[in-house]
Amino acid sequence: MSSLRIPVSTDDHSTGPDDASVVLVEYGDYQCPYCGEAYPVVKKLLAELGDRVRFVFRNFPLAEMHPEAVDAAFVAEFAASHGAFWEVHDMLYENQSRLGSPLYAEICAKLALPVADLRAAVQEQRYLSRIRTDEEGGIRSGVNGTPTFFLNGERLDGGTAELPDALRTAVQRASVQRAS
């Protein structure tokens, strides 16, 4: 079983308490169909488990197979620079079949993000180093496909199917340890 090599930090896109005793990290690709299937599962689990879990999303675009993956990651990173990462993250997965410039412009319009600034950021490759840093951390941690989940630093090899039971068990264990 592989371990997460790059510790979760304040630089990560995360939701949930910073001091949560259960931390779930996903390396994902916005165009990956398996990530698209995992998205509602993760969303439901996070709603169910609330503030007992910190969820971290890291980019791992598989550009050779998914031609829109890097552009979608750019849109998410651009949104992050405007405080709207999670809204755009959700919109990208909820509209995965429509990834492309028209959707990105629609997202920017909906969230009042300046499309001209997004175009400039893409042209300047402003967020490429951030995306590559996530990728390199994933590679160092043994990620070779998406989605790849790490629960409290250990890779879940059963993918999305294993996730609900593993996450609920980790939360239960953390609750018992806190009570002791």
Side-chain angles (χ1 to χ4, degrees):
M1 187 178 284
S2 296
S3 296
L4 189 65
R5 299 283 185 232
I6 306 301
V8 171
S9 76
T10 56
D11 292 335
D12 281 304
H13 301 299
S14 72
T15 184
D18 291 346
D19 64 347
S21 52
V22 176
V23 179
L24 178 66
V25 175
E26 176 185 355
Y27 280 92
D29 170 331
Y30 289 108
Q31 197 173 11
C32 167
Y34 302 109
C35 293
E37 290 172 13
Y39 166 76
V41 173
V42 170
K43 191 120 176 120
K44 181 180 176 194
L45 286 166
L46 294 176
E48 172 191 327
L49 300 171
D51 65 357
R52 296 175 283 178
V53 176
R54 180 178 185 188
F55 175 61
V56 173
F57 182 85
R58 292 179 175 169
N59 296 294
F60 202 84
L62 302 171
E64 304 79 36
M65 295 187 306
H66 304 132
E68 285 297 324
V70 173
D71 288 350
F74 262 89
V75 174
E77 293 300 331
F78 172 74
S81 73
H82 289 83
F85 175 80
W86 290 108
E87 294 92 331
V88 171
H89 168 86
D90 291 354
M91 288 179 187
L92 291 169
Y93 276 124
E94 290 165 6
N95 295 283
Q96 191 179 50
S97 65
R98 298 178 47 223
L99 292 179
S101 295
L103 175 64
Y104 308 149
E106 182 183 314
I107 287 171
C108 285
K110 190 175 282 188
L111 296 175
L113 300 173
V115 133
D117 290 356
L118 171 61
R119 287 188 189 113
V122 169
Q123 192 168 16
E124 296 165 12
Q125 297 190 348
R126 192 176 307 156
Y127 304 107
L128 190 59
S129 67
R130 164 64 191 247
I131 294 165
R132 295 294 179 238
T133 297
D134 280 359
E135 279 182 307
E136 289 164 12
I139 291 166
R140 287 182 54 202
S141 299
V143 174
N144 55 13
T146 58
T148 297
F149 295 101
F150 291 84
L151 183 57
N152 290 337
E154 296 300 318
R155 188 168 80 187
L156 296 178
D157 289 324
T160 306
E162 177 187 7
L163 186 59
D165 287 341
L167 194 55
R168 288 183 186 115
T169 299
V171 166
Q172 220 171 19
R173 282 188 188 135
S175 295
V176 167
Q177 288 173 347
R178 243 189 325 259
S180 302

